[in-house]
């Protein structure tokens, strides 16, 4: 029987489509997460009130910040989850090598970031519509419908953060697969990292590196480079893993 | 025919014998194509390599001959060759066994011949 | 061209050698039975061939390539066992419709026919199937993918006797239609014997035999008769298996080509010469204790 030839591209494309089909449930989970976040946002994400004996003013800020944060958490966890051994065994039931499995996972996470980013921003509109119909409050109308460029910038930034956290989650997942020691280390770092590392040094600087960037282009560049680095490390570390 | 898979006789020999029986029965004519290893494999649920080994026994004995790319064909005097072989080898062995068993039971030649005639009659009926 | 070639292949798990200095080649379009008792290293060897795991030392090539991380090997090979994983979110029908994208030779007609014949439920999830049904479904995937190298690791686990029989028949008929290299592992030869061409017998990670099944059947003979006569005749021979029959008789299995004239001498001495079934021989060759289980009881009684 003659051998068939398969290119890496073809293998990745097939695996990507297979994963998209089989992981639809993860997007349902995303929708659920976002709805939950919306409920949390109903009371306003920030408020201050001032009152006298006769008059009370309360100002509330409504935004989809919570939705965005929840979506970031979601992508982080699904990214870590798809590095699990069972998921890799599913890859190797059909045609795969470690690189094609990793690449198709990365492609899946990019898709997840795009969908997550767009829906998170759109949920902001939904929130405003709900608040409008709830009534009883005076809506400051100038921000009711934001300018398109603002919306798109918001989307872009959200998507960039999702890409970043997707890659980070994937990297953490790979580390956890390599050794359970890393799970302990990662959890330790997350909760107690601040005690050991002076605030001015690592985590704070990492956050500043991304948060203080005001140019979208530069942020994109920073995120892309970091993302590629994280994936590259994940791919190299997992390229010798044994499966099944 | 169902092959005797648990018996002493190797499967490929059973295949060779089955082919011989087909030839003796006149089911395959001289210079006619015989079953391929794949046909035999499917018929008897065996690996085609095993079937090929059975065919090759007959080819080595000149009962079958090979046409390149076409398969195995029945040789011109195949029938006589098989009859000769069976008479001088297979039948002789069988008779030997019968005689040994008869002696063990103390049956003399006359009585044995009688038993054989009787068996022949029963088969005819 | 060889499909698989192994040289000095060794795989350690800690201190245990699962596969130890294994060398062999498997040619094109051969159905090979990989036989050995539990723990002989069958699965470990197959996983190295499939490129799932790496050998600790030694060399393995499949289609002339190192299988580990080889897309070429993966695209032309399928590994069927009871641990085959499918997404829990997909139904059997969805899995089947996803497979052709991966395997260019996929035969959907065959897959659908087999699916219907074994009355599988297209809406069911793979992880909800019983062990036997899982094996049946995996077998369908394995056959329909029509890979130039098809590996079945203990494929009949949990199957009913009837399904097992159908499986062997399906495997053979499919092979006759599309000859390809197949490896089939099992701890027993049993029903698989007749459809195999070669047999690779493993014991404790090492190769015991690798030869055509038809040769295996003539590899050994058994001598049965008076104890003293047999022990005299077989002195200096490697005895694969020996057991006592009553007090005075014994049964010994030796190589057929053991020593010139040994068989003639045996016959002359009134010893019965019997063939040894391939399956029994495999068991004898892979058991450490030559006397078999009887030995334990015989020794125990003498105290």
């Amino acid at each position: 029987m003659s051998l068939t030839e398969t290119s890496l591209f073809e293998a990745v494309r097939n695996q990507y489509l297979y994963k998209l089909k089989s992981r639809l449930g993860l997007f349902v989970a995303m929708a659920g997460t976002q709805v939950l976040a919306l409920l949390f946002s109903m009371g306003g994400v920030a408020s201050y009130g001032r009152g006298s004996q006769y008059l009370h003013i309360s100002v509330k800020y409504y935004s989809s910040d919570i939705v965005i944060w929840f979506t970031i958490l979601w992508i982080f966890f699904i990214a870590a989850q798809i590095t699990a051994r069972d998921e890799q065994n599913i890859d190797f039931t059909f045609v795969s090598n470690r690189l094609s499995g990793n690449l198709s996972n990365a492609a899946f996470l990019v898709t997840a970031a795009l969908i997550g980013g767009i829906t998170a921003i759109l949920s902001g509109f939904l929130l405003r519509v709900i608040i409008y119909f709830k009534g009883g409050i005076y809506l400051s109308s100038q921000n009711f419908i934001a300018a398109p460029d603002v919306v798109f910038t918001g989307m872009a930034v959200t998507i960039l953060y999702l890409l970043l956290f997707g890659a980070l989650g994937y990297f953490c997942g790979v580390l956890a697969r390599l050794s359970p020691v890393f799970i302990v280390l990662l959890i330790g770092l997350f909760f107690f990292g601040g005690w050991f590392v002076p605030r001015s040094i690592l985590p704070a600087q990492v956050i500043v590196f991304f948060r203080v960037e005001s140019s979208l282009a530069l942020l994109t560049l920073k995120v892309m480079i970091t993302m590629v680095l994280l994936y590259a490390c994940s791919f190299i570390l997992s390229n010798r893993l044994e499966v099944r | 025919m169902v092959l005797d898979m648990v018996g002493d006789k190797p499967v490929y020999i059973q295949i060779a014998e089955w082919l011989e029986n087909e030839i003796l029965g006149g089911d395959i004519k001289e210079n006619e194509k015989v079953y391929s290893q794949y046909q035999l494999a499917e018929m008897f649920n065996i690996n085609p390599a095993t079937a090929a080994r059975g065919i090759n026994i007959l080819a080595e004995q000149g009962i079958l001959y090979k046409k390149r790319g076409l398969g195995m064909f029945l040789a011109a005097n195949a029938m006589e060759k098989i009859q000769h072989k069976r008479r001088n080898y297979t039948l002789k062995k069988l008779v030997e066994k019968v005689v040994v068993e008869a002696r063990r039971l103390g049956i003399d030649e006359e009585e044995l011949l009688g038993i054989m005639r009787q068996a022949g009659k029963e088969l005819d009926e | 061209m060889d499909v698989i070639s192994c040289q000095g292949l060794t795989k350690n798990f800690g201190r245990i050698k699962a596969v130890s200095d294994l060398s062999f080649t498997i040619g094109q379009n051969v159905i090979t039975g990989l036989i050995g008792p539990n723990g002989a290293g069958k699965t470990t060897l197959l996983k190295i061939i499939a490129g799932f795991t790496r050998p600790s030392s030694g060399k393995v090539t499949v289609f002339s390539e190192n299988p580990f991380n080889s897309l070429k090997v993966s695209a032309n090979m399928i590994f069927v066992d009871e641990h085959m994983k499918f997404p829990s979110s997909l139904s059997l029908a969805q899995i089947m419709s996803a497979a052709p994208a991966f395997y260019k030779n996929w035969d959907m007609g065959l897959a659908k026919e087999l699916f219907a014949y074994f009355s599988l439920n297209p809406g069911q999830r793979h992880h909800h199937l019983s062990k036997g049904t899982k094996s049946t479904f995996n077998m369908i995937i394995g056959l329909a993918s029509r890979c130039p190298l098809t590996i079945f690791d203990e494929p009949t686990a949990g199957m009913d006797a009837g399904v097992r029989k159908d499986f062997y028949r399906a495997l053979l008929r499919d092979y006759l239609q599309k000859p390809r290299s197949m490896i089939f592992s099992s701890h027993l030869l049993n029903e698989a014997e007749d459809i195999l061409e070669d047999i690779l017998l493993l014991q404790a990670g090492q190769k015991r035999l690798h030869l055509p099944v038809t040769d295996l059947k003539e590899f050994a003979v058994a001598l049965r008769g008076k104890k003293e006569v047999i022990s005299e005749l077989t002195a200096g021979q490697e005895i694969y298996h020996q057991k006592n029959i009553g007090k005075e008789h014994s049964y010994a299995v030796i190589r057929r080509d053991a020593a010139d004239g040994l068989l003639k001498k045996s016959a002359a001495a009134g010893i019965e010469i019997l063939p040894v079934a391939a399956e029994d021989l495999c068991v004898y060759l892979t058991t450490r204790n030559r006397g078999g289980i009887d030995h334990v009881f015989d020794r125990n009684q003498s105290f």
Side-chain angles (χ1 to χ4, degrees):
Chain A
M1 187 176 266
S2 60
L3 300 182
T4 59
E5 293 294 333
T6 293
S7 65
L8 179 65
F9 172 76
E10 220 177 322
V12 171
R13 186 196 60 201
N14 288 337
Q15 284 181 279
Y16 168 74
L17 292 173
Y18 186 48
K19 284 172 180 179
L20 215 51
K21 197 171 165 191
S22 64
R23 290 174 184 165
L24 274 176
L26 295 180
F27 290 103
V28 176
M30 180 201 75
T33 310
Q34 290 181 340
V35 167
L36 192 72
L38 265 184
L39 290 177
F40 281 124
S41 312
M42 295 289 266
V45 292
S47 66
Y48 70 93
R50 193 184 283 173
S52 64
Q53 208 175 343
Y54 306 105
L55 182 71
H56 182 86
I57 302 172
S58 136
V59 179
K60 285 184 176 179
Y61 293 101
Y62 292 98
S63 86
S64 51
D65 281 10
I66 296 180
V67 179
I68 292 169
W69 280 112
F70 272 46
T71 312
I72 286 175
L73 272 180
W74 165 78
I75 202 164
F76 181 86
F77 282 111
I78 66 158
Q81 193 198 321
I82 62 174
T83 61
R85 199 187 169 92
D86 269 358
E87 294 286 331
Q88 207 179 13
N89 287 346
I90 291 173
D91 284 353
F92 278 82
T93 291
F94 291 142
V95 179
S96 176
N97 65 7
R98 284 150 197 82
L99 181 61
S100 73
N102 274 325
L103 282 170
S104 58
N105 276 338
F108 173 79
L109 287 176
V110 169
T111 312
L114 290 172
I115 295 175
I118 293 167
T119 50
I121 295 298
L122 290 181
S123 74
F125 288 103
L126 184 63
L127 181 65
R128 272 166 259 189
V129 170
I130 294 169
I131 301 298
Y132 176 82
F133 282 109
K134 229 173 82 175
I137 44 174
Y138 172 75
L139 273 171
S140 135
S141 62
Q142 73 194 59
N143 284 329
F144 189 74
I145 291 176
D149 60 326
V150 177
V151 173
F152 285 119
T153 310
M155 261 184 202
V157 173
T158 309
I159 289 168
L160 285 174
Y161 275 114
L162 288 172
L163 287 173
L164 188 65
F165 278 89
L168 186 66
Y170 199 75
F171 181 67
C172 292
V174 167
L175 285 182
R177 271 241 11 228
L178 289 177
S179 166
V181 175
F182 284 115
I183 302 179
V184 179
L185 268 176
L186 286 171
I187 294 173
L189 194 72
F190 185 76
F191 285 107
F192 309 110
W195 293 1
F196 303 107
V197 187
R199 270 176 200 280
S200 59
I201 305 182
L202 202 73
Q205 282 192 347
V206 170
I207 293 166
V208 165
F209 178 72
F210 292 108
R211 268 197 73 176
V212 179
E213 184 54 64
S214 56
S215 150
L216 182 62
L218 272 180
L219 180 71
T220 309
L221 192 68
K222 282 178 177 178
V223 168
M224 286 300 165
I225 291 171
T226 316
M227 186 178 86
V228 168
L229 279 177
L230 281 171
Y231 278 126
C233 290
S234 308
F235 290 9
I236 291 164
L237 287 173
S238 62
N239 206 39
R240 311 271 293 163
L241 277 177
E242 302 197 325
V243 295
R244 283 177 84 171
Chain B
M1 190 195 80
V2 175
L3 294 181
D4 180 9
M5 295 302 186
V6 285
D8 299 347
K9 221 173 248 177
V11 171
Y12 67 92
I13 291 184
Q14 295 184 54
I15 293 294
E17 286 179 353
W18 181 83
L19 278 171
E20 284 180 1
N21 289 343
E22 290 287 291
I23 296 163
L24 288 178
D27 293 319
I28 308 167
K29 303 275 179 296
E30 285 181 5
N31 295 316
E32 219 177 69
K33 194 177 183 310
V34 297
Y35 296 97
S36 73
Q37 63 183 103
Y38 300 103
Q39 284 171 314
L40 289 170
E42 201 189 309
M43 285 158 68
F44 296 110
N45 210 27
I46 53 172
N47 190 287
T50 310
R53 207 166 156 182
I55 294 173
N56 282 339
I57 290 179
L58 300 187
E60 278 163 25
Q61 293 170 353
I63 294 164
L64 305 179
Y65 67 93
K66 191 175 189 172
K67 274 193 195 168
R68 275 211 169 272
L70 292 174
M72 288 290 188
F73 290 78
L74 193 65
N77 47 359
M79 188 89 96
E80 292 86 72
K81 273 187 179 153
I82 296 168
Q83 277 167 347
H84 182 259
K85 183 177 78 173
R86 289 235 173 153
R87 192 184 286 264
N88 292 309
Y89 186 78
T90 318
L91 185 63
K92 214 173 144 190
K93 281 266 166 181
L94 278 174
V95 172
E96 258 174 39
K97 274 191 184 165
V98 171
V99 172
V100 168
E101 184 66 15
R103 282 189 187 160
R104 205 177 275 162
L105 299 172
I107 296 171
D108 62 17
E109 269 174 37
E110 272 309 307
E111 198 182 345
L112 185 59
L113 281 175
I115 294 170
M116 285 171 119
R117 271 188 215 109
Q118 184 60 34
K121 262 184 213 159
E122 276 167 21
L123 278 178
D124 289 339
E125 280 162 15
Chain C
M1 193 200 75
D2 289 329
V3 172
I4 301 167
S5 155
C6 293
Q7 275 152 27
L9 205 64
T10 300
K11 176 76 176 177
N12 305 318
F13 292 115
R15 278 196 201 159
I16 298 159
K17 275 195 172 170
V19 167
S20 169
D21 195 26
L22 210 57
S23 300
F24 66 90
T25 57
I26 287 179
Q28 242 175 348
N29 299 347
V30 174
I31 308 183
T32 304
L34 182 62
I35 311 293
N38 292 326
K42 303 184 296 286
T43 300
T44 309
L45 172 64
L46 293 178
K47 283 186 178 172
I48 294 173
I49 291 171
F52 296 161
T53 58
R54 278 170 292 135
S56 307
S57 64
K59 206 183 149 200
V60 57
T61 55
V62 178
F63 306 124
S64 316
E65 265 191 37
N66 175 4
F68 196 78
N69 272 340
S70 161
L71 266 186
K72 184 181 168 194
V73 171
S74 186
N76 291 288
M77 185 273 317
I78 190 158
F79 185 99
V80 177
D81 69 350
E82 58 175 323
H83 306 297
M84 249 180 153
K85 265 264 168 201
F86 296 99
S88 53
S89 56
L90 297 186
S91 68
L92 298 185
Q94 284 173 316
I95 293 169
M96 289 233 298
S97 62
F102 291 100
Y103 297 108
K104 288 175 184 156
N105 296 330
W106 178 270
D107 187 333
M108 193 53 106
L110 176 71
K112 284 194 168 152
E113 289 287 332
L114 287 172
F115 198 89
Y117 176 82
F118 289 108
S119 348
L120 296 179
N121 175 356
Q124 235 180 341
R125 306 285 139 134
H126 191 262
H127 62 288
H128 290 152
L129 298 176
S130 72
K131 197 175 172 186
T133 319
K134 222 178 236 176
S135 292
T136 306
F137 179 76
N138 296 355
M139 172 264 282
I140 295 173
I141 296 284
L143 287 180
S145 65
R146 295 220 151 136
C147 285
L149 174 60
T150 307
I151 298 177
F152 288 106
D153 188 19
E154 300 273 357
T156 55
M159 281 185 189
D160 300 335
V163 177
R164 222 159 52 223
K165 231 177 162 179
D166 280 341
F167 166 66
Y168 292 123
R169 181 84 182 142
L171 192 143
L172 181 72
R173 291 213 54 173
D174 197 46
Y175 168 80
L176 290 172
Q177 256 179 45
K178 283 265 169 339
R180 51 203 198 261
S181 307
M182 292 184 172
I183 307 182
F184 182 100
S185 94
S186 174
H187 53 283
L188 284 177
L189 257 185
N190 54 35
E191 303 111 311
E193 184 182 329
D194 299 310
I195 61 163
L196 300 178
E197 178 167 346
D198 282 359
I199 181 167
L200 176 58
L201 191 65
L202 290 190
Q203 182 204 6
Q206 286 175 314
K207 183 171 86 177
R208 200 76 174 81
L209 283 179
H210 185 200
L211 76 185
V213 175
T214 46
D215 290 351
L216 179 74
K217 289 193 173 178
E218 291 167 16
F219 186 77
V221 285
L223 305 179
R224 188 167 68 189
K226 285 244 184 332
K227 221 183 205 170
E228 306 87 62
V229 184
I230 285 188
S231 54
E232 199 177 297
L233 280 164
T234 57
Q237 297 292 335
E238 191 188 352
I239 300 169
Y240 296 134
H241 175 74
Q242 187 159 29
K243 70 175 179 200
N244 294 331
I245 306 168
K247 285 226 157 120
E248 282 161 25
H249 291 78
S250 83
Y251 175 91
V253 177
I254 56 165
R255 248 183 117 112
R256 186 181 286 269
D257 56 4
D260 293 330
L262 182 97
L263 294 184
K264 271 198 178 137
K265 249 191 272 172
S266 306
I271 299 290
E272 277 181 283
I273 299 168
L274 309 162
V276 181
E279 183 175 344
D280 293 340
L281 182 62
C282 286
V283 174
Y284 300 153
L285 285 172
T286 53
T287 338
R288 280 161 216 274
N289 203 322
R290 300 270 171 267
I293 191 74
D294 276 346
H295 222 71
V296 176
F297 289 92
D298 293 346
R299 251 191 319 213
N300 201 28
Q301 263 173 357
S302 60
F303 288 117

